């Protein structure tokens, strides 16, 4: 039964054809990867300075990880390091499908609700401890504990009892995750979820060495105390400066790991990291937008899909964005094609809907093809909507508007382009404000920003992943938007066993989101990376996190 369902899931796995070079966002933007921002850069080189034959891959993580606690580091600048320091029950393979990780096998009950995972006998932590089922039970229940305040907790809601516990309405004992014995983990879902094995590849579901965490709750904050179970171990960590990984000799598949070390810089400027690449200090780099035309067609450029979206949120609890027509006016005043082609460049595609291309519906059509263009550039319509909205609110002139974005050169360029478009097409002067990521992120979550940049990097292979962000009281909502109709559509889109019914609910949910416009899309992400000669084997998943397990340099 397990094999049949796994093949079915594999057949349905989608490949994202998104577009853009992400800074560091994820499910959240790490510079916001929430749901997240763009992918960190990567590379490799032989350590010539030391005169040794060590294979050292030199990468750029952009900024300091928000946390290496897998329940807390819910963004791309944390996910990429975590995915190489740790491993979950499943791991994305070279075909971007959920394959065996710590779990060497699993069984799925006939009703699709109960998953029984068998852990590898030789799975060990970097300190030599065996990885046991209790480590997963501990980690997942820690993530769901309301006191942990994990941004990733909503991903666990597929599990029976998880949402009630996380919302404070249930008990940890009701969460159906059970370590049956040292090497057997049983998980019971609230409803059949065909993509559950993909969900488990997210770092939020990585195990935590429960003995280490119980002895030291701050185990994840320094290299000296960090314990992982992935292909690499954390050798050193100079906060806000660099991280150094070494091959983890305790990893169950250590023989497959070719690199000796991975060195991560933390440089949050596209021009600086490109200069480091040119100087040989980085083995990969993103292309600065101003050099795109010159470099994009080079033989040393990797271009691939990356599932995600750059978008902007309105705060519906602040004037003037309590008015739907005013929100729509701002959205229709944006020329997305110009932003993609002339501002961001690097082959990114403009976004006229919230869901990126790459999801195949039950009819065989792409989600984006079925739902079409929902948010377009229409300056005449934008002017009319602004006038109507202002009349509805009794405005002779709009209240002052501030557009906030997290600091990066690309984000600044996009914000400046929007500033010009609002001025030209609406006659509205918008003030621009940039903030460092941590400050920006907390202010956005607290609904303190009036109008702000966001990005979403998909957590798993299903369109409901983005759309569920805007249900009432979702951690990812951050707009004040609330619609019972939308909530019901998402509930159907998550749990309906009839796939046609489920997808129809998701089609309608995206249309409703575009009508109410609590946010508007700008462009889809892609991955564009310069690679030094000889670098090979880096897995860059359309949905997921780059994987250095098989990376090498010839």
């Amino acid at each position: 039964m397990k094999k049949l369902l796994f093949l079915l899931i594999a057949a349905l796995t989608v490949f994202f054809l998104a577009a853009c070079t992400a800074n560091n966002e994820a499910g959240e933007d790490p510079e916001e990867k929430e749901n997240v921002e763009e992918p960190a850069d990567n590379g490799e080189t032989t350590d010539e300075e030391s005169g040794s034959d060590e294979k050292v891959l030199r990468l750029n993580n952009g900024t300091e990880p928000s946390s290496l606690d897998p329940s807390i580091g819910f963004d791309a600048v944390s996910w990429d390091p975590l995915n190489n320091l740790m491993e979950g029950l499943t791991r994305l393979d070279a075909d971007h499908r959920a394959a065996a990780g710590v779990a060497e096998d699993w069984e799925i009950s006939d009703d699709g609700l109960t998953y029984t995972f068998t852990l590898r006998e030789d799975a060990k932590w970097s300190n030599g401890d065996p990885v046991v089922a209790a480590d997963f039970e501990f980690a997942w229940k820690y993530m769901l504990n309301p006191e942990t305040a994990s941004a990733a907790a909503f991903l666990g809601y597929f599990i029976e009892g998880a949402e009630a516990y996380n919302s404070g309405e249930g008990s940890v004992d009701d969460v159906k995750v059970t370590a049956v014995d040292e090497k057997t983990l049983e998980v019971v879902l609230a409803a059949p979820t065909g993509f559950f094995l993909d969900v488990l590849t997210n770092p939020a579901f990585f195990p935590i060495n429960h003995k280490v965490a119980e002895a030291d709750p701050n185990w994840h904050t320094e290299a000296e105390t960090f314990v992982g179970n992935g292909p690499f171990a954390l050798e050193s960590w100079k906060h806000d400066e660099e991280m150094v990984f070494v091959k983890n000799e305790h990893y169950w598949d250590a023989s497959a790991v070719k690199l000796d070390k991975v060195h991560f810089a933390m440089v949050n400027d596209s021009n600086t990291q490109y200069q480091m690449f040119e100087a040989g200090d980085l083995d990969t780099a993103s292309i600065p937008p101003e050099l795109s035309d010159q470099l994009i067609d080079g033989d040393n450029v990797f271009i691939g899909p990356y599932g995600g979206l750059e978008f902007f949120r309105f705060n519906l609890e602040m004037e003037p964005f309590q008015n739907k027509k005013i929100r729509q006016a701002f959205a229709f005043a944006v020329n997305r094609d110009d932003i993609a082609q002339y501002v961001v460049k690097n082959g990114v595609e403009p976004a006229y809907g919230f869901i990126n291309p790459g999801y195949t519906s039950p009819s065989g059509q792409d989600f984006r093809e079925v739902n079409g263009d929902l948010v377009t550039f229409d300056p005449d319509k934008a002017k009319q909507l602004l006038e109507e909205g202002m009349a509805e609110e009794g405005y002779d002139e709009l209240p002052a508007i501030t557009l906030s974005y997290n600091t990066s050169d690309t984000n600044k360029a996009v914000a400046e382009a929007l500033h010009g478009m609002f001025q030209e097409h609406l006659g509205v002067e918008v003030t621009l404000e940039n903030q460092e990521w941590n400050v920006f992120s907390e202010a956005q979550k607290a609904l303190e920003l009036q109008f702000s940049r966001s990005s979403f990097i998909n957590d798993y292979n299903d369109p409901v992943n983005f759309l569920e962000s805007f249900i009432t009281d979702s951690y990812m909502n951050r707009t004040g938007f609330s619609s019972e109709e939308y909530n019901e559509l998402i509930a159907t889109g998550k749990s309906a066993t009839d796939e046609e019914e489920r997808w129809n609910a998701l089609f309608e949910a995206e249309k409703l989101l575009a009508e109410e416009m609590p946010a508007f899309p700008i462009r889809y992400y892609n991955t564009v990376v310069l690679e030094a000669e000889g670098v090979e084997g880096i897995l860059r998943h359309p949905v997921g996190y780059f994987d250095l397990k098989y990376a090498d340099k010839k």
Side-chain angles (χ1 to χ4, degrees), residues 58-95:
R58 301 187 185 278
L59 314 179
N60 178 32
N61 200 55
T63 63
E64 173 87 351
S66 59
S67 177
L68 291 185
D69 176 342
S71 294
I72 303 300
F74 196 60
D75 51 51
V77 287
S78 304
W79 282 353
D80 284 337
L82 279 169
N83 194 52
N84 293 285
L85 290 169
M86 305 186 81
E87 182 172 85
L89 294 168
T90 57
R91 188 178 189 90
L92 292 174
D93 64 14
D95 295 320

Side-chain angles (χ1 to χ4, degrees), residues 313-317 444 447 470 476-482 518-519:
R313 302 178 198 258
F314 298 111
N315 186 339
L316 277 60
E317 297 181 3
Q444 189 182 71
L447 285 182
F470 292 92
M476 285 306 301
N477 191 312
R478 305 178 193 176
T479 65
F481 170 68
S482 178

Side-chain angles (χ1 to χ4, degrees), residues 226-244:
F226 185 87
V227 178
N229 69 319
F232 297 91
L234 184 58
E235 181 180 66
S236 65
W237 184 3
K238 296 179 182 178
H239 294 284
D240 297 305
E241 185 178 341
E242 67 174 14
M243 295 179 292
V244 178

Side-chain angles (χ1 to χ4, degrees), residues 140-147 157 161-175:
W140 296 7
K141 289 180 176 179
Y142 165 76
M143 172 183 68
L144 292 166
N145 188 330
E147 294 184 3
Y157 288 3
E163 183 171 7
Y165 175 49
N166 184 244
S167 63
E169 299 175 358
S171 164
V172 66
D173 296 331
D174 298 326
V175 179

Side-chain angles (χ1 to χ4, degrees), residues 230-395:
F232 297 91
L234 184 58
E235 181 180 66
S236 65
W237 184 3
K238 296 179 182 178
H239 294 284
D240 297 305
E241 185 178 341
E242 67 174 14
M243 295 179 292
V244 178
F245 295 2
V246 295
K247 179 177 178 177
N248 179 11
E249 298 296 343
H250 290 291
Y251 180 55
W252 67 269
D253 199 19
S255 62
V257 180
K258 301 177 179 65
L259 297 174
D260 297 299
K261 289 188 177 182
V262 181
H263 181 282
F264 284 95
M266 300 179 192
V267 177
N268 190 26
D269 180 86
S270 63
N271 287 296
T272 301
Q273 54 88 40
Y274 172 70
Q275 292 164 6
M276 292 173 68
F277 174 80
E278 286 290 282
D281 295 327
L282 287 176
D283 293 312
T284 71
S286 62
I287 298 177
E290 62 270 22
L291 297 178
S292 177
D293 295 340
Q294 174 183 339
L295 300 175
I296 194 70
D297 294 324
D299 294 336
N300 63 339
V301 178
F302 171 88
I303 301 177
Y306 195 78
L309 175 76
E310 179 178 22
F311 64 104
F312 281 76
R313 302 178 198 258
F314 298 111
N315 186 339
L316 277 60
E317 297 181 3
M318 286 189 181
E319 292 189 286
F321 298 123
Q322 79 282 2
N323 185 279
K324 180 172 73 173
K325 289 182 178 178
I326 293 176
R327 299 195 299 270
Q328 292 173 333
F330 275 72
F332 287 117
V334 176
N335 188 328
R336 291 157 184 79
D337 187 68
D338 278 0
I339 290 177
Q341 185 173 358
Y342 302 115
V343 180
V344 181
K345 301 184 178 181
N346 286 344
V348 306
E349 293 292 335
Y352 300 107
F354 294 99
I355 301 302
N356 56 264
Y359 295 102
T360 304
S361 70
S363 68
Q365 293 177 287
D366 189 276
F367 186 105
R368 189 70 278 130
E369 180 184 349
V370 173
N371 251 21
D373 294 343
L374 300 180
V375 188
T376 59
F377 174 51
D378 190 335
D380 292 335
K381 184 176 182 179
K383 288 178 183 177
Q384 179 183 343
L385 287 165
L386 181 62
E387 292 174 0
E388 292 175 2
M390 291 179 65
E392 289 177 359
E393 300 298 331
Y395 293 145

Side-chain angles (χ1 to χ4, degrees), residues 115-185:
Y115 286 64
T116 304
F117 296 93
T118 301
L119 277 57
R120 300 178 185 276
E121 288 294 333
D122 55 351
K124 293 183 179 180
W125 292 98
S126 54
N127 66 352
D129 290 347
V131 178
V132 295
D135 294 328
F136 284 94
E137 180 178 355
F138 173 89
W140 296 7
K141 289 180 176 179
Y142 165 76
M143 172 183 68
L144 292 166
N145 188 330
E147 294 184 3
T148 301
S150 169
F154 73 97
L155 290 177
Y157 288 3
F158 296 106
I159 301 168
E160 184 177 335
E163 183 171 7
Y165 175 49
N166 184 244
S167 63
E169 299 175 358
S171 164
V172 66
D173 296 331
D174 298 326
V175 179
K176 300 302 182 181
V177 177
T178 307
V180 177
D181 56 39
E182 282 204 346
K183 294 295 181 176
T184 307
L185 184 75

